[in-house]
Amino acid sequence: ADLFERTAEELARHGLSCECLGGGRLSHRPEERRIHVYGYSVGFGRADHAVTTEKLKAEYPDYEITWADEGY
């Protein structure tokens, strides 16, 4: 929530707005080139991890990127 609030405030200074579509967690293992997306936000609910995973794959094509709805 703190990150979202800071981002929303910064965007508002530029005349823009944003909406949080949910949250989750990342497990990043750079030495293994792996990222796992999982969990949810108590305040914002669960994000669509499939969308998050696709965005990460575009940015990190040499990583194994997985997701699951389980976990907190």
Side-chain angles (χ1 to χ4, degrees), residues 33-63:
R33 294 187 150 344
R34 298 175 88 182
I35 297 174
H36 182 66
V37 182
Y38 66 98
Y40 61 95
S41 164
V42 172
F44 297 110
R46 181 174 285 116
D48 185 342
H49 297 329
V51 171
T52 304
T53 299
E54 290 307 310
K55 303 266 184 214
L56 287 167
K57 284 180 179 180
E59 210 47 47
Y60 298 94
D62 57 337
Y63 270 61

Side-chain angles (χ1 to χ4, degrees):
D2 293 340
L3 178 61
F4 174 71
E5 288 171 9
R6 286 194 308 257
T7 302
E9 288 171 7
E10 179 66 24
L11 289 172
R13 286 194 283 274
H14 298 282
L16 302 170
S17 64
C18 61
E19 174 185 2
C20 182
L21 302 176
R25 295 173 181 251
L26 298 175
S27 170
H28 182 206
R29 297 183 177 186
E31 66 284 348
E32 299 173 20
R33 294 187 150 344
R34 298 175 88 182
I35 297 174
H36 182 66
V37 182
Y38 66 98
Y40 61 95
S41 164
V42 172
F44 297 110
R46 181 174 285 116
D48 185 342
H49 297 329
V51 171
T52 304
T53 299
E54 290 307 310
K55 303 266 184 214
L56 287 167
K57 284 180 179 180
E59 210 47 47
Y60 298 94
D62 57 337
Y63 270 61
E64 176 187 347
I65 302 175
T66 58
W67 67 274
D69 279 334
E70 295 81 34
Y72 173 72

